[in-house]
Amino acid sequence: MEALIPVINKLQDVFNTVGSDSIQLPQIVVLGSQSSGKSSVIESVVGRSFLPRGTGIVTRRPLVLQLIYCPLDDREHRSAENGTSNAEEWGRFLHSKKCYTDFDEIRKEIENETERAAGNNKGICPEPINLKIFSTNVVNLTLVDLPGITKVPVGDQPEDIEAQIKDLVLKYIENPNSIILAVTAANTDMATSEALKLAKDVDPDGRRTLAVVTKLDLMDAGTDAIDILCGRVIPVKLGIIGVMNRSQKDIMDQKHIDEQMKDEAAFLQRKYPTLATRNGTPYLAKTLNRLLMHHIRDCLPDLKTRVNIMSTQFQSLLNSYGEDVSDKSQTLLQIITKFASAYCSTIEGTARNIETTELCGGARICYIFHETFGRTLDSIHPLAGLSKMDILTAIRNATGPRPALFVPEVSFELLVKRQIRRLEEPSLRCVELIHEEMQRIVQHCGNEVQQEMMRFPKLHEKIVDVVTQLLRRRLPATNVMVENIVAIELAYINTKHPDFHKDAALVPSLLKTDNDPYSQMNLGSQRRANTPRNHMSPQVSASQQQQLQNNQHQQQNDAHEQNHVGENSTASTWLSNILPPAPIRPDSIENSASNTPVHNNIVSPVKPVNLLPDVPANHNPRRLTDKEQKDCDVIERLIKSYFYIVRKSIQDSVPKAIMHFLVNYVKDNLQSELVTHLYKSDRAETLLNESDHIAVRRKEAADMLKALTRANHIISEIRETHMW
């Protein structure tokens, strides 16, 4: 099991070469308040003084320290080239290939690197410094020295220095593969220890927390740390170990750590004889080594699984970036063909990777046709923007200087065309929406095509240009066709349309007047309460009675279906062409010969005509006469009927025209357009130039895949040698 820690060091080297921290390796994280003695503990474990020392915050960058036991006969780490063949101990930084045998130089290099990244204003930097120390006197360990926890900014420190340090500390101790070494000074209250508090937050069970009590020799006279070391004050599952550090005076006097170790052993024997064997720096180093080995043994299976998963992910990522292009003409033709196929598949709905978050392609085109366009047409009322006065004005303008005896055909055509023209704008807007969606499909052509588009940005730009130009060329033709569809409906008002003819056949019930004998008899029957409702005058034949009842029934149905129901005195010539023949009324000749209007057999006297000096261009709002109301109701009913017929036709014809002139044309001609404009030998070299971003990403993915392969090989070697 002693070989497990070097294995982790090798894995750390592997991932350091690619600059990745995606694999969380087992390590010991040293955590404590500012000036609690963290650096002194690390130096005591190493046996050398090499860390920056002083008052206030000194450690301002994380220091990842790998201690590697290296005997004199070790040929793996020693070499004559770097002068370490016979050296007892030396250090090497990750950012420098130089080997440092003088530990004072190591301290200066740490200070220089800290100021380079963190500045000289007492601020911190999360970028770690990686240092390896090879020695014949150390045990294999991986330690992380973190900045001390502070509360109040000092000097030029930023106001949020406490939050910055806390976030940095949590980043390391939240790693489930790390062991937390919580350092607390003995001359402070353990209950107020920030290190133990943070450790408990991330490790509530205490399975990976070891407490270290420093400065045992600085406790007040008459007090001791027996209760603390025995865990009676705050129990720690992995234990509590007490150590004695060098004082600031000892550091200034350059007291050697070996002498300090002797003084520490003597102090523990004198002050804590029963606990001396389970405390002190040597016992702490052995305990850390043992805990780390067991922790590595427990973490290796999960670590191997994680490495295998990441290897698969990076292999897929590397495949998505593609290999170097050898035959650019062939590659260009393959990309063009693949793009055209993916574009058509997105429209057809046969793409392999179907979008699940939003509608796109053919599904969105269908939604525009049947939801957006269909609902817009349905929301247009046949009589919107058309008042009764507009209808009456149209009728009067169509009759010229003569009084209107009949409802003129010109007024109906004029008004219904005005309403039909309102269908043109939403139809053209539908063309715009389909055009936008066809342009948008370029971004939804599948992941494979998108990866190649990212790989070759110039080719992607040209493909978008070709598709855009093709769609723009088809847009005018599609708009003209849609405009023609509306123009065709305006060109000929087919009053003989079967659906319109059926509705127009219901108009006779609206054309009865008060002079109609059938109406008179109906009124008389209503006035005679004792006479049955179906009892008719002897002068009315049985067939006339039956027809009157049918007309009344039809009138009730019309009133239910249409909100505007009226009557007219007679049918015009154009209406008689689309209506069945009406029965001849015996009193029609008498009424037409009369010069005065007849209302319920009461003759009204002739009133003198008052000619106004100014004739208004339009009628002032007033109450319509019965005849005017009936004429307007008839025109409204016919406009509604014919408008619904035209709307239904346009709702069916416009999508068909768009599909033929725009969608299907682009599908059928896209590949030929791309080949015509892009597949040229002199342009293939330019179009298939990779972006620098993709080249860098491919190199990073390849390096990471190599590192993961090496890591997997190292872990497999451990399994083969039955080390775990």
Side-chain angles (χ1 to χ4, degrees), residues 502-512 550-567 579 633-634 637-638 640:
K502 293 176 183 178
D503 283 343
L506 303 177
V507 173
S509 61
L510 305 176
L511 301 179
K512 293 190 302 179
N550 292 339
N551 289 340
Q552 292 174 348
H553 179 68
Q554 187 62 52
Q555 185 175 359
Q556 293 174 358
N557 291 339
D558 293 344
H560 179 69
E561 296 176 358
Q562 302 291 337
N563 293 328
H564 306 286
V565 178
E567 297 180 352
L579 299 178
D633 290 344
V634 170
R637 182 186 183 94
L638 295 176
K640 278 187 177 181

Side-chain angles (χ1 to χ4, degrees), residues 209-472:
T209 301
L210 175 67
V212 175
V213 179
T214 62
K215 304 180 182 181
L216 291 175
D217 56 326
L218 298 182
M219 297 187 67
D220 294 339
T223 61
D224 57 41
I226 292 179
D227 291 340
I228 295 176
L229 297 176
C230 293
R232 300 189 188 113
V233 178
I234 297 179
V236 180
K237 185 171 292 187
L238 295 183
I240 302 175
I241 299 176
V243 295
M244 187 178 74
N245 301 334
R246 290 183 300 169
S247 64
Q248 189 64 32
K249 184 177 182 303
D250 294 336
I251 296 173
M252 295 175 62
D253 295 340
Q254 297 183 350
K255 182 179 180 180
H256 200 275
I257 292 182
D258 290 341
E259 298 180 8
Q260 172 64 23
M261 301 278 274
K262 295 178 182 178
D263 293 343
E264 179 189 51
F267 173 80
L268 291 175
Q269 287 291 343
R270 183 177 69 255
K271 190 72 175 178
Y272 306 100
T274 58
L275 303 176
T277 56
R278 288 180 288 140
N279 289 277
T281 302
Y283 181 77
L284 173 63
K286 293 179 182 178
T287 302
L288 291 176
N289 179 264
R290 175 177 54 83
L291 290 176
L292 186 58
M293 284 191 299
H294 286 285
H295 196 62
I296 292 172
R297 182 194 60 187
D298 296 337
C299 294
L300 272 180
D302 292 338
L303 187 62
K304 180 175 177 58
T305 302
R306 176 63 177 163
V307 168
N308 290 334
I309 293 175
M310 290 192 65
S311 297
T312 304
Q313 293 174 347
F314 276 92
Q315 183 65 58
S316 301
L317 183 62
L318 187 61
N319 294 338
S320 67
Y321 293 141
E323 299 178 356
D324 293 335
V325 179
S326 56
D327 189 348
K328 293 195 174 183
S329 296
Q330 181 182 359
T331 304
L332 178 60
L333 184 59
Q334 290 176 350
I335 294 176
I336 289 175
T337 304
K338 187 183 296 184
F339 175 82
S341 176
Y343 190 92
C344 296
S345 298
T346 305
I347 295 176
E348 296 288 345
T350 58
R352 288 187 298 174
N353 298 322
I354 297 178
E355 187 72 35
T356 58
T357 57
E358 61 175 345
L359 291 178
C360 65
R364 193 170 182 85
I365 292 175
C366 179
Y367 182 86
I368 292 172
F369 282 155
H370 301 289
E371 297 294 333
T372 306
F373 179 60
R375 289 181 179 177
T376 302
L377 292 188
D378 291 341
S379 66
I380 300 176
H381 194 273
L383 301 177
L386 197 63
S387 66
K388 289 187 180 294
M389 291 305 300
D390 294 335
I391 298 174
L392 183 60
T393 302
I395 294 174
R396 291 196 170 189
N397 286 336
T399 59
R402 296 172 299 279
L405 293 177
F406 313 111
V407 179
E409 180 179 2
V410 177
S411 62
F412 166 72
E413 289 196 6
L414 175 66
L415 295 172
V416 79
K417 286 182 179 180
R418 171 181 169 181
Q419 299 305 102
I420 291 174
R421 286 192 184 93
R422 300 176 64 236
L423 300 176
E424 183 175 1
E425 182 180 352
S427 300
L428 294 176
R429 177 56 182 160
C430 181
V431 177
E432 293 179 8
L433 292 176
I434 298 301
H435 174 267
E436 293 173 2
E437 179 57 28
M438 296 286 286
Q439 186 71 45
R440 184 171 170 265
I441 291 176
V442 177
Q443 310 300 330
H444 293 269
C445 288
N447 294 332
E448 296 180 1
V449 178
Q450 293 303 319
Q451 287 291 342
E452 291 178 346
M453 295 299 101
M454 293 174 57
R455 183 182 178 187
F456 306 111
K458 292 184 179 179
L459 177 60
H460 178 240
E461 181 181 348
K462 291 297 182 182
I463 288 178
V464 173
D465 289 342
V466 172
V467 176
T468 302
Q469 293 300 326
L470 179 60
L471 291 172
R472 284 179 180 174

